[in-house]
Amino acid sequence: MMNLIDYLPTIPDFPKPGIMFKDISPLLADKDAFSHAMSELHRLSLQTPFDYILGIESRGFIFASALAQISNKGLIMARKPNKLPTETYSEFYGLEYGQDYLEVQQNIIPQKAKILLMDDVLATGGTITAAASLVNKAGAQVAGALVLLEITELLGRKKLSEAHIETQSLIEI
Amino acid sequence: MMNLIDYLPTIPDFPKPGIMFKDISPLLADKDAFSHAMSELHRLSLQTPFDYILGIESRGFIFASALAQISNKGLIMARKPNKLPTETYSEFYGLEYGQDYLEVQQNIIPQKAKILLMDDVLATGGTITAAASLVNKAGAQVAGALVLLEITELLGRKKLSEAHIETQSLIEI
């Protein structure tokens, strides 16, 4: 049995002192590890009915796109400010290191559609909570959140639970 | 027969006046259009033997990740500055609007591996040429470049050809 955590080395003090950064690059570069991770994420996703996958820029795009292919679902992009053309919904958020805005296009998410939110890492939950607000602003429903890796000590799951977002993670540390 | 160009609307003057931006969002959000595009990109990729797919941040991640899943290949990330931990190779490039650096990790690409470069759009070719330089710095080989959409009037194919990069695009405009 492949232990995926072996493909996620910790890089201390990146991008800032005190941050223990989990590097997903070795997992992605190993075709068997990447394929195995996606099969397992697909299995977890089957527990939640959804119509679209929302990928959060930019590492979330990687997992969301691969799952969209496996699941035959459409992919919605949640992007950093000023990257998306046409009118957007915008949501401010704080994250483990710094703060930013996240945007989705106003005309891209069908009303009442069920949207699965996807990112690589669940840390404090700020980014995923912002993505959920954008889905709500669009008049759609959050089906749940799915991540590769959850850093449990940062209590993101508690924050998502308070926002009524069901969360699944493939790996917890 | 699905005409994919119908899913790629032109947004004038984004992100700057004079730029005709092609919006890939409607293609991604439509599961049939996205799946069809990926099948066709996979078909094109079969003409070039390769070991890894390099995705260029951040829309390139979407197509590279989906193709990595379909092809059962490893995925390498080429990222904007200061996003990747550990030592990196770095390459400056100009693009249709502005200029930037692109980086890959020094320890992630095996020497002599054949790398397929992937992005959403081929415009002037600056980004893909920079990605090719990074692959060469790592001691690996560029298998070719593959994009969803080629904007022919910006002559990116000529620039890539001069750098001895074989280029395939699914859609030309």
Side-chain angles (χ1 to χ4, degrees), chain A residues 96-154:
Chain A
E96 197 183 352
Y97 34 89
Q99 52 192 38
D100 213 340
Y101 282 87
L102 205 60
E103 296 186 341
V104 296
Q105 285 171 304
Q106 291 197 9
N107 60 357
I108 204 77
I109 305 180
Q111 291 210 356
K112 299 185 183 169
K114 295 187 186 67
I115 314 294
L116 179 67
L117 313 176
M118 203 159 185
D119 209 352
D120 61 334
V121 173
L122 171 58
T124 64
T127 318
I128 291 174
T129 307
S133 297
L134 293 171
V135 167
N136 291 331
K137 283 182 180 174
Q141 290 175 243
V142 174
L146 178 59
V147 299
L148 175 76
L149 179 69
E150 177 177 354
I151 303 170
T152 55
E153 69 180 354
L154 295 175

Side-chain angles (χ1 to χ4, degrees), chain B:
Chain B
M1 184 60 187
M2 176 171 271
N3 198 348
L4 291 174
I5 196 73
D6 296 342
Y7 296 84
L8 297 168
T10 300
I11 316 293
D13 299 321
F14 184 87
K16 291 186 178 171
I19 304 290
M20 301 296 279
F21 185 85
K22 298 302 290 185
D23 185 9
I24 63 167
S25 305
L27 184 146
L28 298 176
D30 186 289
K31 65 184 166 65
D32 297 326
F34 185 28
S35 171
H36 179 58
M38 290 313 310
S39 296
E40 292 290 298
L41 286 165
H42 179 233
R43 182 178 57 75
L44 289 176
S45 77
L46 295 176
Q47 297 175 31
T48 312
F50 63 95
D51 305 310
Y52 293 84
I53 302 174
L54 181 142
I56 298 173
E57 186 168 15
S58 59
R59 285 172 303 187
F61 284 179
I62 291 171
F63 297 94
S65 178
L67 187 62
Q69 271 305 296
I70 297 169
S71 309
N72 192 30
K73 300 289 185 186
L75 175 67
I76 309 283
M77 293 183 286
R79 299 203 67 180
K80 304 288 168 63
N82 309 314
K83 301 286 194 80
L84 288 168
T86 73
E87 293 296 303
T88 58
Y89 298 111
S90 187
E91 187 73 28
F92 182 75
Y93 66 101
L95 70 175
E96 197 183 352
Y97 36 88
Q99 52 192 39
D100 212 340
Y101 282 87
L102 206 60
E103 297 185 340
V104 297
Q105 284 171 304
Q106 291 197 9
N107 60 357
I108 205 75
I109 304 180
Q111 291 209 356
K112 298 186 183 168
K114 294 186 186 70
I115 314 295
L116 179 66
L117 313 176
M118 205 161 181
D119 208 351
D120 60 335
V121 173
L122 170 59
T124 63
T127 318
I128 291 174
T129 307
S133 297
L134 293 170
V135 167
N136 291 331
K137 282 181 180 175
Q141 290 174 244
V142 175
L146 178 59
V147 299
L148 175 75
L149 179 69
E150 177 178 353
I151 303 171
T152 55
E153 69 181 351
L154 294 174
L155 304 179
R157 183 177 289 261
K158 181 165 179 287
K159 180 170 180 141
L160 296 187
S161 172
E162 286 164 2
H164 306 288
I165 302 165
E166 275 202 58
T167 307
Q168 291 185 297
S169 57
L170 181 54
I171 306 164
E172 290 182 22
I173 58 168

